[in-house]
Amino acid sequence: MNLPPVAPTAPVATILVVDDEERNVKLLEVLLQAEGYATVSALNGREALAAAVSACPDLILLDIMMPDMDGFETVAQLKADPRTRQVPVIMVTALDDRDTKQRALLAGAEEFLSKPITRTGAWRATAGAGGHRLHCGRQGAGPVDGG
């Protein structure tokens, strides 16, 4: 029996999830993978900087409150590095005050996702992942199912 050729699927957008709480990382990974995204994770700012270079993600979800290197410092370093400055960063935070948001925007974040994280919130925050950025020599394509 001859089967018709299968069209290649579009590349999956890769999202780097950064949080010092492993359960938060796992929750986001489950939500994102269910939507067709590939995920890479880091448990602190230093790991995030290395993963952003090696994995070349289409989007970074970055917790603000982490020990050693917080999200503000991490996003500032990501945006200062020519290899990672094009990658959009969404700050994930339980903080909901204006000063925190302003500080994150000044450091280079593009958007915010408030904790507790819901499936709808994760979907809204990542809906455009990979569809509009060129970096690392490739263009992201969004989730596998195209939406």
Side-chain angles (χ1 to χ4, degrees):
M1 170 186 225
N2 289 336
L3 297 175
V6 176
T9 58
V12 176
T14 299
I15 299 176
L16 172 57
V17 178
V18 185
D19 197 310
D20 60 311
E21 295 286 334
E22 194 167 345
R23 65 184 173 169
N24 291 340
V25 171
K26 295 296 181 198
L27 170 65
L28 274 170
E29 286 179 332
V30 166
L31 292 172
L32 295 169
Q33 290 169 4
E35 295 299 322
Y37 294 102
T39 60
V40 176
S41 63
L43 296 174
N44 60 57
R46 296 199 194 291
E47 285 182 15
L49 296 174
V53 170
S54 65
C56 191
D58 297 289
L59 177 71
I60 299 171
L61 296 178
L62 177 62
D63 185 30
I64 289 179
M65 296 187 303
M66 297 185 294
D68 301 322
M69 181 187 297
D70 65 21
F72 300 116
E73 184 178 344
T74 304
V75 72
Q77 288 192 32
L78 288 164
K79 296 304 181 174
D81 187 329
R83 298 169 297 175
T84 56
R85 75 171 46 131
Q86 295 285 333
V87 182
V89 177
I90 297 176
M91 302 299 274
V92 181
T93 181
L95 305 172
D96 196 26
D97 61 281
R98 186 176 182 193
D99 290 339
T100 299
K101 290 181 179 182
Q102 185 174 20
R103 185 174 170 204
L105 289 172
L106 288 171
E110 280 79 13
E111 190 58 67
F112 298 89
L113 180 59
S114 295
K115 291 180 181 180
I117 299 162
T118 64
R119 184 180 185 132
T120 302
W123 180 83
R124 283 184 186 152
T126 60
H132 62 285
R133 300 282 181 165
L134 284 173
H135 62 282
C136 302
R138 66 180 172 83
Q139 181 175 3
V144 173
D145 65 1

